[in-house]
Amino acid sequence: MMTPEEMPISPTRASTLSQNLTSILQRISSAIPTQAHPLPRLVAVSKLKPANDILALHSPPHSHLHFGENYQQELLEKSKLLPKEIRWHFIGALQTNKCKPLAEQIPNLWCVESVDAAKKADQLQKGREALCEREDGYREIPLRVFVQVNTSGKEEKSGVEPGDAAGLCRHILEKCPRLKLQGLMTIGAIARSRGVAEGKENEDFVTLREVRDRVARELGLKETDLELSMGMSEDFESAIRCGSNEVRVGSTIFGERPAKKDAQIKDDMDKGKG
């Protein structure tokens, strides 16, 4: 793990990131429909951004905890550099053969948000079990998972069909004791958010809420037992109005991403010390 001294960041960049994060947190708070609605969790999506940026936001005054990554190798490398207090979210597409190492190799992996098959949940279970056998301190800390639901109706999109969500949730609850079913996730179509009439909401968000309510009834759970993870940079306020408990915001905090081939895990930034 590296210290801020070993991972420098320009004061100008740190100030920009801080201002962006503050603005998003204020917008989240303003979008909450009622005072009874809990403050949604903000996952700062840091994919293709250097670990320096993450450390800047994890350091005081923000001390932000939740960061999301899309690529497994990038997440693994960053997790080795950065403080163990960070709560990592894997939000990218899951490959079955990579689920076990994902859950085993990153002890502070807080949540996997894209579970869409029982066999993937089983492999995450095996990986977390292996971690617990190696490091006894994690035995009482489950790996949280969201079931990803395809709310678009398009076959090429990731996620289980709405009608299959309850079955996968039941499998996780009954067969995967090292996992904690956190809730349901969807990636709402930005075009739908842009195209909704005033006073209406993205139908993807409405659908996920309806699926959550149905799953809760079928499994004998309270609706509040299952969170909703929905909403990104362009539509997180709409998602919150629909009841989202967690939003995933990247470019509005970190700025435009580089091409994957140009991304750096850590920026040595001799150019950025002033």
Side-chain angles (χ1 to χ4, degrees), residues 24-67:
I24 294 298
L25 291 170
Q26 290 172 343
R27 289 170 62 186
I28 287 173
S29 181
S30 297
I32 296 173
T34 68
Q35 290 185 336
H37 188 85
L39 186 68
R41 180 186 309 111
L42 170 61
V43 178
V45 179
S46 45
K47 69 175 182 179
L48 304 181
K49 290 295 182 176
N52 313 56
D53 282 4
I54 300 169
L55 186 60
L57 292 180
H58 178 64
S59 301
H62 289 291
S63 301
H64 195 73
L65 290 175
H66 295 272
F67 292 89

Side-chain angles (χ1 to χ4, degrees), residues 251-262:
S251 58
T252 310
I253 296 172
F254 293 101
E256 187 176 348
R257 296 186 183 94
K260 189 176 181 182
K261 64 181 177 61
D262 298 326

Side-chain angles (χ1 to χ4, degrees), residues 31-252:
I32 296 173
T34 68
Q35 290 185 336
H37 188 85
L39 186 68
R41 180 186 309 111
L42 170 61
V43 178
V45 179
S46 45
K47 69 175 182 179
L48 304 181
K49 290 295 182 176
N52 313 56
D53 282 4
I54 300 169
L55 186 60
L57 292 180
H58 178 64
S59 301
H62 289 291
S63 301
H64 195 73
L65 290 175
H66 295 272
F67 292 89
E69 293 286 340
N70 287 62
Y71 306 114
Q72 189 163 335
Q73 186 60 34
E74 182 181 0
L75 171 54
L76 179 60
E77 292 182 38
K78 287 178 177 177
S79 71
K80 292 177 179 178
L81 292 174
L82 290 161
K84 299 304 180 187
E85 292 77 18
I86 286 177
R87 299 174 181 178
W88 293 108
H89 295 240
F90 184 78
I91 61 176
L94 277 175
Q95 298 179 42
T96 303
N97 65 333
K98 293 186 177 181
C99 287
K100 183 177 183 292
L102 176 68
E104 182 177 359
Q105 295 174 357
I106 305 171
N108 55 326
L109 180 63
W110 197 81
C111 186
V112 176
E113 305 229 359
S114 44
V115 177
D116 59 3
K119 60 184 179 180
K120 296 178 183 180
D122 291 341
Q123 290 301 309
L124 290 171
Q125 160 69 22
K126 289 180 181 179
R128 193 67 177 191
E129 182 64 46
L131 172 66
C132 292
E133 290 176 359
R134 188 179 75 242
E135 300 188 38
D136 197 58
Y138 288 94
R139 288 193 173 275
E140 303 302 319
I141 306 174
L143 172 60
R144 295 163 177 81
V145 296
F146 281 92
V147 166
Q148 182 173 355
V149 180
N150 180 358
T151 55
S152 70
K154 298 179 180 178
E155 289 186 8
E156 68 273 15
K157 297 295 184 181
S158 298
V160 298
E161 293 302 312
D164 296 330
L168 179 51
C169 288
R170 187 185 301 278
H171 178 88
I172 293 168
L173 288 170
E174 295 180 353
K175 304 295 184 181
C176 302
R178 295 291 180 196
L179 307 184
K180 179 184 186 299
L181 179 63
Q182 193 75 9
L184 305 179
M185 183 275 269
T186 194
I187 300 174
I190 296 299
R192 287 182 174 177
S193 289
R194 292 172 178 164
V196 295
E198 186 174 350
K200 302 290 184 180
E201 301 296 352
N202 185 327
E203 62 187 272
D204 287 319
F205 301 153
V206 175
T207 297
L208 190 69
R209 185 178 61 202
E210 292 172 346
V211 173
R212 188 274 309 275
D213 295 350
R214 185 166 64 246
V215 169
R217 286 195 302 272
E218 288 188 27
L219 300 186
L221 303 172
K222 295 181 293 186
E223 292 172 5
T224 52
D225 290 335
L226 298 174
E227 291 185 354
L228 298 175
S229 176
M230 57 189 191
M232 299 186 292
S233 284
E234 289 197 44
D235 57 12
F236 68 87
E237 288 152 312
S238 170
I240 292 170
R241 289 193 294 270
C242 285
S244 182
N245 304 103
E246 176 187 277
V247 295
R248 310 176 302 274
V249 179
S251 58
T252 310

